[in-house]
Amino acid sequence: MKTTMIEIFALPLALLFGCSSNNAAQQASADVVEDTVETYSLNNIDFSLANDLCQKQKETLALTKAERICADKVNDLAFSMLHQMAKELMDSSFVVSPMSLNCAIAMAGNGAAGRTLQEIERLVGPIAVANSFFKKYHAALPHNEYSNCGIFNYLAVNPKDPIKKDFTDKISTIYNACVKPIDFANPKSVKQINDWFCRQLQDESLNVVKEPDAETSLLLANVLDFRAFWSLPFNSQFTYDHDFTTDNGEILQIPMMYCQERTCLYTENASFKAVSLSYLGSCYRMLLVLPKTEKLSKLTSAMTSNTFSNILNSLKEKEVELSLPRFRCVGDMEVKEMLSKVIPSAFDVQKANFSAICELPTWINEISHKTSIEVTEQGTKARSITVESFLVKAETENPKFIANRPFMYIVYDDATHAIMLTGQFCGDGALLTEDNNSSKRH
């Protein structure tokens, strides 16, 4: 049988994109992903059960036509994120999660109205449909011994601000979010939020929220956790060090996982080769796209949702000789800059309309997005953290009327407004107490 050989010596393009190559980024990834993917043996796998679990997830994810639009919006956001990060980091590696960011924006959209709602819906789709999509997606997440994935949401509300109960109830019900009153001025508030995520993910090292502004009115945190074994693991005995040539010509020695013959979904054209690898117990796959001669930057800049769909439609089952780097890396994206171009009013105290959250002026103050991925012989583990913080403009203080300089006065009736008396006071004639003999001018 003829075998196609594909050596992934350039950075892979996946639904979770890339990785990071510098030491600082590698160290930073420890905040998100701590340990390696667990090992497993093919002898212990119930392939019939794993296939049934995959089919069940596909059935649960049967989308309506309207929900399909929201899924496409996730992919549109994916390539917007890819293009920005590739432009900023050039030849460096990175990873982002469009699913996590899109979910966080959709939650915020439930509190938006007017122009702000219109902008958010252009990004995530109609809010009611986006709610339906994410509720269905959450229900379809696999929780089995082969694939275990979760989306965890937390809504922290400052009790001093009049946040609407309809909004918090909606986020709790649709997005299965934990809703808690939090005093952000209290140093222990951060620990309270992080402890909840640590319990949910059974990871004591998890640090989702840093020190928020003491004036924060609302905080939305989303954590996407992905853990899945390959349908067919790489044998670690065949992992070897191999030259990896970067786009700037530097040659690195990196560990390369190897499989001499593997049945994969595969395609190629004049510009690139692509392979899609499956995971056990779920319908998730990793697509890797390798440029043939041109630099990766040219390929990534041309990638769109349509290009992605065309690649998937052209994949065919084929025996492939596969070499793939073993890697672990992180991405820390400045998403506020990108989002301010597509939902500008949401970040503008004067223009933001989150009246479904609070009647007082409310806007997104900060938004952070951090993702980490680890790919080994056994499978893939990734985690993405998106945090949005909102500020509410305090009610205007009671106006002060301090008559400490000359003033005019009028006495009138409130029925006809006919004036009974009018005059002015300039300081002389003040009624002094017995302790004072005269008025003092300043």
Side-chain angles (χ1 to χ4, degrees), residues 80 84 87-88 115 119 122-123 334-347:
S80 293
Q84 177 174 317
K87 183 178 179 180
E88 291 178 358
R115 174 182 171 183
E119 291 172 352
R122 283 198 291 269
L123 185 65
E334 295 292 336
V335 292
K336 186 174 181 179
E337 178 183 350
M338 178 190 74
L339 292 175
S340 63
K341 298 175 182 177
V342 289
I343 51 172
S345 69
F347 300 95

Side-chain angles (χ1 to χ4, degrees), residues 324-394:
L324 175 67
R326 185 178 64 203
F327 63 89
R328 182 185 192 211
C329 46
V330 71
D332 194 349
M333 184 177 184
E334 295 292 336
V335 292
K336 186 174 181 179
E337 178 183 350
M338 178 190 74
L339 292 175
S340 63
K341 298 175 182 177
V342 289
I343 51 172
S345 69
F347 300 95
D348 189 324
V349 61
Q350 302 297 332
K351 298 178 181 179
N353 186 344
F354 286 102
S355 54
I357 294 178
C358 181
E359 290 297 342
L360 298 175
T362 305
W363 70 100
I364 300 176
N365 180 48
E366 294 292 341
I367 181 165
S368 62
H369 179 76
K370 186 174 182 179
T371 308
S372 185
I373 188 171
E374 179 178 282
V375 177
T376 70
E377 289 86 352
Q378 301 295 316
T380 302
K381 181 161 67 174
R383 184 173 292 164
S384 185
I385 297 172
T386 303
V387 178
E388 297 171 289
S389 62
F390 293 72
L391 290 180
V392 170
K393 190 174 183 180

Side-chain angles (χ1 to χ4, degrees), residues 137-151:
Y137 205 92
H138 191 276
L141 291 170
H143 302 288
N144 58 69
E145 58 186 307
Y146 310 122
S147 292
N148 192 3
C149 307
I151 296 176

Side-chain angles (χ1 to χ4, degrees), residues 7 24 285 327 437:
E7 296 180 306
R285 307 184 69 93
F327 63 89
N437 297 319

Side-chain angles (χ1 to χ4, degrees), residues 13-145:
L13 172 62
L15 292 184
L16 287 167
F17 298 102
C19 61
S20 182
S21 58
N22 59 61
N23 291 334
Q26 295 286 355
Q27 181 60 38
S29 68
D31 291 339
V32 185
V33 173
E34 283 297 324
D35 54 333
T36 58
V37 178
E38 298 84 353
T39 59
Y40 74 105
S41 169
L42 289 175
N43 297 328
N44 300 326
I45 296 174
D46 184 339
F47 284 100
S48 177
L49 172 61
N51 290 335
D52 287 346
L53 292 169
C54 172
Q55 187 60 35
K56 182 180 178 181
Q57 186 185 20
K58 285 184 176 181
E59 292 170 358
T60 308
L61 283 175
L63 302 179
T64 65
K65 186 176 181 179
E67 290 167 344
R68 179 67 255 174
I69 293 173
C70 292
D72 292 340
K73 293 290 187 180
V74 174
N75 292 352
D76 290 340
L77 179 60
F79 293 107
S80 293
M81 297 170 77
L82 172 68
H83 296 158
Q84 177 174 317
M85 289 289 279
K87 183 178 179 180
E88 291 178 358
L89 297 180
M90 299 298 287
D91 294 327
S92 296
S93 312
F94 61 87
V95 58
V96 295
S97 174
M99 182 66 73
S100 174
L101 182 58
N102 193 284
C103 182
I105 297 300
M107 284 192 286
N110 281 273
R115 174 182 171 183
T116 303
L117 176 60
Q118 292 173 2
E119 291 172 352
I120 290 177
E121 288 190 325
R122 283 198 291 269
L123 185 65
V124 305
I127 289 300
V129 182
N131 289 343
S132 175
F133 168 74
F134 280 109
K135 191 175 181 67
K136 181 176 289 187
Y137 205 92
H138 191 276
L141 291 170
H143 302 288
N144 58 69
E145 58 186 307

